[in-house]
Amino acid sequence: MFAAGTDSWREYGPSQLPEVLQSALRVFAERGYEGASIRGLAAAAGLSVPGMYHHYRSKQDILVNLMEHALVDLIARCREALASAGPEPAARFDALVECMVRFHMFRRAEAFVASTELRSLEPGNRARCVALRDELQGMVADVIEEGCAAGVFSTPYPADAARAVSTLCVGVATWYREDGPLSPDQVVERQLVLLRNLVGRR
Amino acid sequence: MFAAGTDSWREYGPSQLPEVLQSALRVFAERGYEGASIRGLAAAAGLSVPGMYHHYRSKQDILVNLMEHALVDLIARCREALASAGPEPAARFDALVECMVRFHMFRRAEAFVASTELRSLEPGNRARCVALRDELQGMVADVIEEGCAAGVFSTPYPADAARAVSTLCVGVATWYREDGPLSPDQVVERQLVLLRNLVGRR
Amino acid sequence: MFAAGTDSWREYGPSQLPEVLQSALRVFAERGYEGASIRGLAAAAGLSVPGMYHHYRSKQDILVNLMEHALVDLIARCREALASAGPEPAARFDALVECMVRFHMFRRAEAFVASTELRSLEPGNRARCVALRDELQGMVADVIEEGCAAGVFSTPYPADAARAVSTLCVGVATWYREDGPLSPDQVVERQLVLLRNLVGRR
Amino acid sequence: MFAAGTDSWREYGPSQLPEVLQSALRVFAERGYEGASIRGLAAAAGLSVPGMYHHYRSKQDILVNLMEHALVDLIARCREALASAGPEPAARFDALVECMVRFHMFRRAEAFVASTELRSLEPGNRARCVALRDELQGMVADVIEEGCAAGVFSTPYPADAARAVSTLCVGVATWYREDGPLSPDQVVERQLVLLRNLVGRR
DNA sequence: AATGAATGAGCCTTCATTCAT
DNA sequence: CATGAATGAAGGCTCATTCAT
C-alpha cells in the first residue's frame, strides 16, 4: 500500500532541532509569532533573555531558522519519497501524499508554524520561504499533471486539485493529535483514499 | 448547476458590518490580531483612540464582534442554502459547498480572520465561536452522512471527508483574489467538482 | 560701555521652555544625551515614561526641540543686539559679544547642551542645527571683517579670530556659575576686554 | 619665531599608546564614552570581549588610562617646552602656547576625549584627572602672571586670560584637520598671534 | 589571549486602557 | 464622539561584565 524503496523519508526520530528552537517552536505554535515574547521564548528555553540573543540575532531570526529547517526537511523527504516511488504516477502521488501527511503528523508544530507564520516574516525572509513552499507545491502539481497525462487521474482541474492536496496535507497539522483515535498509518491511509478520489484516480 | 430555490444566501451586497468593524477587519486580516494595535485600528477607522472605546469595550471585543458576525452570517446562509436545496443529499451537498465557497470569496477577510484568530480569543469567547464553527462542521458532516446513507456518496471515511470539505472551503479565503483569473462562478464549479470527487459522488 | 538701543536681547526672564524640556535640559547637561535615560528624563519631569512619549516622539525629539529652541533664541537675540548697536563695527562687535556672553550665562544649560550634543543628533537634525550654528558664526565673522575693513580691528587673521571669539563665548557656559565671584556684568566686561584685544581693537 | 632649546616636546612620532587604547580612542572620539560599547571597543581593537577584560578591568578603566596618558604626556611636554624656553616670560608664553597647540593637533583624539569626557569619569578618577588639568591651567596662569608682573603682558584680567588661552588651545582639537588648509606651523603661528594679542603683549 | 555561553540590569519604545474636558 | 493627558505593564533588544575552557 505504501511506496517501496529506501525509507528514510518515513523515519522520524526525535527532532534534530537545537533545543532553543524546539522550545521556541512550542511557544510559537501555541501563541503565534506576535503573541510570543522573547521573554517567553527564553523562559521556555530555560535561558535568560540575553542568552537567547547569544544564539539568535532576533526574534525574527528564530522564526526564520525554524521555518527554513522545516521546509528544507520536508522538501528533502518529499524528494526521497518520489525517488523511492519509481516512475508510476500513481505510486508517486501516493508516496508524496504519504510523505507530506507523515511530516505534518510527526513534525506537527514545525509544519503548523511554517504554514501559519509566513506572514510574520520580513520581506526578504518571506521571499525565501515562499520559494521553498512553492517548490513543494510544484512537486505536487507535477505529480498530478503526470497522472493526468498518463490517464490515471481524471480530474479536469489538476492545478486546483494540487492546491487542494497541499491544503489537506498541511491541514493535518491542524487537527492531528498523537493521542487521537487514529494511528499515523490509519491517518495516512484515509488521506490517501480521500485524495486519490479528489484527483479522480481510476 | 446550482441549487435552486430562494437565493438570498447567494447574494452579497456591500458588507453590513459597521464601518469601524470593516476597517478593523482589514487591519486584522493584514497584521493579525496580536500584530494590530488599538491605535492602528483607530487610525484605520478614522477615529480617536477613546472613540474606539466608545464603540467597543476592548480590542478583544472588536475581534469577538467580527468573528461572531461572520460565523452567524455564514451559518444563516448555509441554513438557507440547505433549505432551498430540497431533500436530495447530492443537491444539499452542492448547495452547502457552493454557499461556503461563495462566503469565503465574498466575505474573504471575515472568513479569513474567523478561521485564523480563533486562538486569539479569550476562553469564554473562544468557546462560543468554536461552538458556532462546530455547528457548521456538523452541517457538513450531516450532509455527507446523509449522502453516504443514501448511497450517493461512496467514501468510506465520511467524517474525514467532512473535515476535508470544510478545510477546502475555508482555504478558498486564503488564495482567492477578486482580480484573479477565475470568476466566482468558476471557482464554485471547480470546488464542486473536486469535492464531489472527494466524497465519492456516484 | 554696553551697546545702546532696544534692550530685549539683554533681558532674561525665567525660561520660556515647556517644563518637560526644562527638566530634560538639566538631565542632559548633567549626564549628556547618551548618559540620560528616558526613565531619568521622565522622573525629572515628574511624568511617567509613556507620559514623555505623549509630549515628544522620542528621546532624540526632546534633544532637537531643546537645541533648536536654544539656537533660534540666541540668533534672534544676536540680531537684535546688532540692530540696536548701529553701524559702527566696534559697537557691533561689542554688542554681539555681550549678547553671546549673556546668553551663555543666563541660558547656560541650553547653550552647553547645544554646543556639546551636536554629535548626538541624527543626520537630518544635525544638519539643521549645524546650519543655525553656522549662521551665528557667520554673524561673528562678518562683524570682525567689517571691523578689519574699517581699520578698527587689526588682527591679520579675522577668520581665526572669529572662531576664537565664538569659542570663548561658548566657553562661558562651561565655567560660569551663578554663585561665582563675578557678576554677569563683570563677566561681560572682562570678556569684552579680552576679545577686543584678541581682534586687535585699536 | 619658535622657542629655542631641546625640542623633544615638538616631536610627534606615531602614538605610543598601546594599540587597544588607540582604537578605543577612535571609538570614544567618534561616539563618546557613553555611546561606545565594550563590544564596539573590542571589535575596533580586533579583540574578543573577554580579551578586552584581559587588558583592562572595565570600560571606565580604558577611559582613565587614555585620559591620564594624554594629560601626563601633555604636561610633560609643556614642562619641557617651558624649560627649553629660558626665563623670558614672552618666550615662555610662546613655548607653552605652541606646545599646547601642537599637542591638540598631533594628539587630536586624545586631547579631544580628555577634554570632553571628564564628566564620564567616576569621582575618584575624575579628581585625579581634574588635578592634572588644573596643573596645566596653573602653568598657563603662572606664565601669564609672570608676563604681567614683568610688564610684557598688559591684560588687566590675567586669570580670565589664562582660561581663555587654555580654552582656545583645547579648542584646536575641535576644528583642526590634518587635511585642512593650514599646516601645523601655520596654525601655531596664528594661534600665537591671536593669543599674544589676547594677553596684551606689548 | 580567544571562544562560547551566560546574565541582571537597563535601554528606548509601545501596548491597551482610562479619564477629564 | 474628539482632544489631551496619563499610566502600569510589557515589548524587543543591548549593556557591561563574568566564567569555563
Side-chain angles (χ1 to χ4, degrees):
Chain A
M1 178 178 69
F2 297 142
T6 313
D7 271 14
S8 66
W9 58 271
R10 269 204 193 95
E11 273 154 41
Y12 287 87
S15 168
Q16 306 293 348
L17 279 178
E19 286 200 27
V20 177
L21 288 187
Q22 285 193 50
S23 57
L25 191 54
R26 259 176 273 130
V27 178
F28 284 151
E30 205 168 288
R31 320 167 80 95
Y33 178 77
E34 296 270 10
S37 75
I38 287 275
R39 278 166 179 80
L41 296 171
L47 285 183
S48 64
V49 168
M52 292 298 283
Y53 283 93
H54 179 71
H55 294 289
Y56 299 93
R57 290 199 318 280
S58 65
K59 189 181 159 189
Q60 174 83 191
D61 194 33
I62 296 173
L63 179 60
V64 171
N65 270 276
L66 234 29
M67 296 200 40
E68 289 193 329
H69 181 99
L71 289 164
V72 166
D73 186 12
L74 174 53
I75 289 178
R77 287 173 184 272
C78 286
R79 273 200 234 284
E80 287 178 42
L82 286 176
S84 74
E88 294 294 331
R92 293 171 68 77
F93 177 82
D94 282 8
L96 195 52
V97 167
E98 182 190 345
C99 180
M100 292 180 71
V101 169
R102 285 195 187 281
F103 187 87
H104 284 81
M105 288 189 293
F106 293 123
R107 294 291 181 262
R108 225 190 111 232
E110 269 113 314
F112 179 72
V113 168
S115 73
T116 289
E117 299 295 355
L118 259 181
R119 122 176 101 186
S120 303
L121 290 174
E122 288 157 11
N125 298 327
R126 174 151 64 241
R128 269 198 333 283
C129 288
V130 165
L132 292 172
R133 191 203 53 184
D134 289 350
E135 204 177 323
L136 265 167
Q137 299 216 349
M139 295 169 76
V140 177
D142 289 349
V143 164
I144 292 180
E145 267 155 39
E146 292 167 26
C148 288
V152 286
F153 302 154
S154 67
T155 183
Y157 303 123
D160 301 81
R163 180 168 46 216
V165 168
S166 288
T167 298
L168 289 177
C169 289
V170 169
V172 169
T174 299
W175 54 261
Y176 174 78
R177 297 290 110 112
E178 239 180 288
D179 55 358
L182 298 183
S183 74
D185 284 354
Q186 286 177 306
V187 171
V188 169
E189 153 77 2
R190 294 188 175 199
Q191 293 298 307
L192 274 174
V193 168
L194 293 173
L195 294 177
R196 287 180 193 134
N197 270 354
L198 187 138
V199 296
R201 162 98 159 267
R202 297 185 207 277
Chain B
M1 179 178 68
F2 298 141
T6 315
D7 270 13
S8 65
W9 59 272
R10 271 207 191 93
E11 275 155 40
Y12 288 88
S15 169
Q16 306 294 345
L17 278 177
E19 286 201 26
V20 177
L21 289 187
Q22 286 192 51
S23 57
L25 191 54
R26 258 175 275 131
V27 178
F28 283 152
E30 203 168 293
R31 321 167 77 96
Y33 178 76
E34 298 270 7
S37 76
I38 286 273
R39 264 171 179 75
L41 295 171
L47 285 185
S48 65
V49 168
M52 291 298 281
Y53 282 94
H54 180 80
H55 292 289
Y56 300 94
R57 291 203 319 282
S58 66
K59 189 179 157 189
Q60 174 83 193
D61 194 33
I62 297 173
L63 179 60
V64 171
N65 270 275
L66 231 31
M67 296 201 37
E68 289 193 328
H69 182 99
L71 288 164
V72 165
D73 185 13
L74 174 54
I75 289 177
R77 288 174 185 270
C78 285
R79 273 201 234 286
E80 286 178 42
L82 285 176
S84 74
E88 293 296 329
R92 292 171 67 76
F93 177 82
D94 283 7
L96 195 51
V97 166
E98 182 191 344
C99 179
M100 292 180 72
V101 169
R102 284 195 188 280
F103 187 86
H104 284 81
M105 288 188 293
F106 293 121
R107 293 292 182 260
R108 225 189 111 232
E110 270 111 314
F112 180 73
V113 167
S115 73
T116 289
E117 298 295 355
L118 259 181
R119 123 177 99 186
S120 303
L121 290 173
E122 288 157 12
N125 298 328
R126 175 152 62 244
R128 269 198 333 283
C129 288
V130 166
L132 293 172
R133 190 202 55 183
D134 289 349
E135 204 177 323
L136 264 167
Q137 298 215 350
M139 296 168 76
V140 178
D142 288 350
V143 164
I144 292 179
E145 267 154 38
E146 292 167 23
C148 288
V152 285
F153 300 155
S154 67
T155 183
Y157 304 122
D160 301 81
R163 180 167 46 216
V165 168
S166 288
T167 298
L168 289 177
C169 290
V170 169
V172 169
T174 299
W175 54 262
Y176 174 77
R177 297 290 109 112
E178 237 178 289
D179 55 357
L182 298 182
S183 73
D185 286 355
Q186 286 176 304
V187 170
V188 167
E189 151 78 0
R190 293 187 176 200
Q191 293 298 308
L192 274 174
V193 168
L194 294 173
L195 293 176
R196 286 179 195 136
N197 269 354
L198 187 138
V199 296
R201 162 97 159 269
R202 297 187 208 275
Chain C
M1 180 178 68
F2 298 142
T6 313
D7 271 14
S8 66
W9 58 272
R10 271 205 191 95
E11 273 154 40
Y12 287 88
S15 169
Q16 306 293 347
L17 279 178
E19 288 201 27
V20 176
L21 288 187
Q22 286 193 50
S23 58
L25 192 54
R26 259 176 273 132
V27 178
F28 283 152
E30 204 168 291
R31 320 167 78 96
Y33 178 77
E34 297 269 10
S37 75
I38 286 275
R39 277 167 181 78
L41 296 171
L47 285 184
S48 65
V49 169
M52 292 298 283
Y53 283 92
H54 179 71
H55 294 290
Y56 299 94
R57 291 199 318 279
S58 64
K59 190 181 157 189
Q60 174 83 193
D61 194 33
I62 297 173
L63 179 59
V64 171
N65 270 276
L66 233 30
M67 296 200 39
E68 289 193 328
H69 181 98
L71 288 164
V72 165
D73 186 12
L74 174 53
I75 289 178
R77 286 174 186 270
C78 285
R79 274 200 234 285
E80 287 179 42
L82 285 176
S84 73
E88 295 294 332
R92 293 171 68 76
F93 177 82
D94 283 8
L96 194 51
V97 167
E98 183 190 343
C99 180
M100 292 179 72
V101 169
R102 286 195 187 281
F103 187 86
H104 285 80
M105 288 188 292
F106 292 123
R107 292 293 182 260
R108 225 190 111 232
E110 270 112 312
F112 180 72
V113 167
S115 73
T116 288
E117 299 295 355
L118 259 181
R119 121 177 100 187
S120 302
L121 290 173
E122 289 157 11
N125 297 327
R126 175 152 63 244
R128 270 198 332 282
C129 288
V130 165
L132 293 172
R133 191 203 53 184
D134 289 350
E135 203 176 324
L136 266 166
Q137 299 215 351
M139 297 169 75
V140 177
D142 289 350
V143 164
I144 292 180
E145 268 155 37
E146 293 168 23
C148 289
V152 287
F153 301 155
S154 67
T155 183
Y157 303 123
D160 301 80
R163 180 166 49 215
V165 168
S166 288
T167 299
L168 290 176
C169 289
V170 168
V172 168
T174 300
W175 55 261
Y176 174 78
R177 296 291 110 111
E178 238 179 289
D179 54 358
L182 298 183
S183 73
D185 285 356
Q186 286 176 306
V187 171
V188 168
E189 152 76 1
R190 294 187 176 201
Q191 294 296 309
L192 274 174
V193 168
L194 294 173
L195 294 176
R196 286 179 194 135
N197 270 353
L198 188 138
V199 297
R201 162 98 158 269
R202 297 187 206 276
Chain D
M1 180 178 71
F2 297 143
T6 316
D7 270 14
S8 66
W9 59 269
R10 269 205 192 95
E11 274 153 40
Y12 287 87
S15 169
Q16 305 294 345
L17 278 177
E19 286 200 26
V20 177
L21 289 187
Q22 286 192 51
S23 57
L25 191 54
R26 257 175 275 131
V27 178
F28 283 152
E30 203 168 292
R31 321 166 79 95
Y33 178 77
E34 297 271 8
S37 76
I38 285 274
R39 263 170 181 75
L41 295 171
L47 286 185
S48 64
V49 168
M52 291 299 281
Y53 282 94
H54 179 78
H55 292 289
Y56 299 95
R57 293 202 319 281
S58 65
K59 189 180 157 187
Q60 174 83 193
D61 195 33
I62 297 173
L63 179 60
V64 171
N65 270 275
L66 231 31
M67 296 200 39
E68 288 193 330
H69 181 100
L71 288 164
V72 165
D73 186 13
L74 175 54
I75 289 177
R77 287 174 185 271
C78 285
R79 272 200 235 286
E80 287 177 43
L82 286 176
S84 74
E88 293 295 330
R92 291 171 68 77
F93 177 82
D94 282 8
L96 195 53
V97 166
E98 182 190 344
C99 179
M100 292 179 70
V101 169
R102 285 196 188 279
F103 187 86
H104 285 81
M105 287 188 292
F106 293 122
R107 293 292 182 261
R108 225 189 111 232
E110 269 113 312
F112 180 73
V113 168
S115 72
T116 289
E117 298 295 356
L118 260 180
R119 125 177 97 187
S120 303
L121 290 173
E122 289 157 10
N125 298 327
R126 174 152 63 244
R128 266 196 336 282
C129 288
V130 165
L132 292 172
R133 192 202 53 184
D134 289 350
E135 204 176 322
L136 264 167
Q137 299 216 349
M139 295 169 75
V140 178
D142 289 349
V143 164
I144 292 180
E145 268 155 38
E146 292 167 24
C148 288
V152 286
F153 301 156
S154 66
T155 183
Y157 304 123
D160 300 80
R163 180 168 46 216
V165 168
S166 288
T167 299
L168 290 177
C169 289
V170 169
V172 169
T174 299
W175 54 262
Y176 174 77
R177 296 291 111 111
E178 238 179 288
D179 55 357
L182 297 182
S183 74
D185 286 353
Q186 286 176 305
V187 171
V188 167
E189 151 78 1
R190 293 188 176 199
Q191 293 297 308
L192 274 174
V193 168
L194 293 172
L195 293 177
R196 286 180 194 135
N197 269 354
L198 187 140
V199 296
R201 163 98 158 269
R202 296 186 207 280

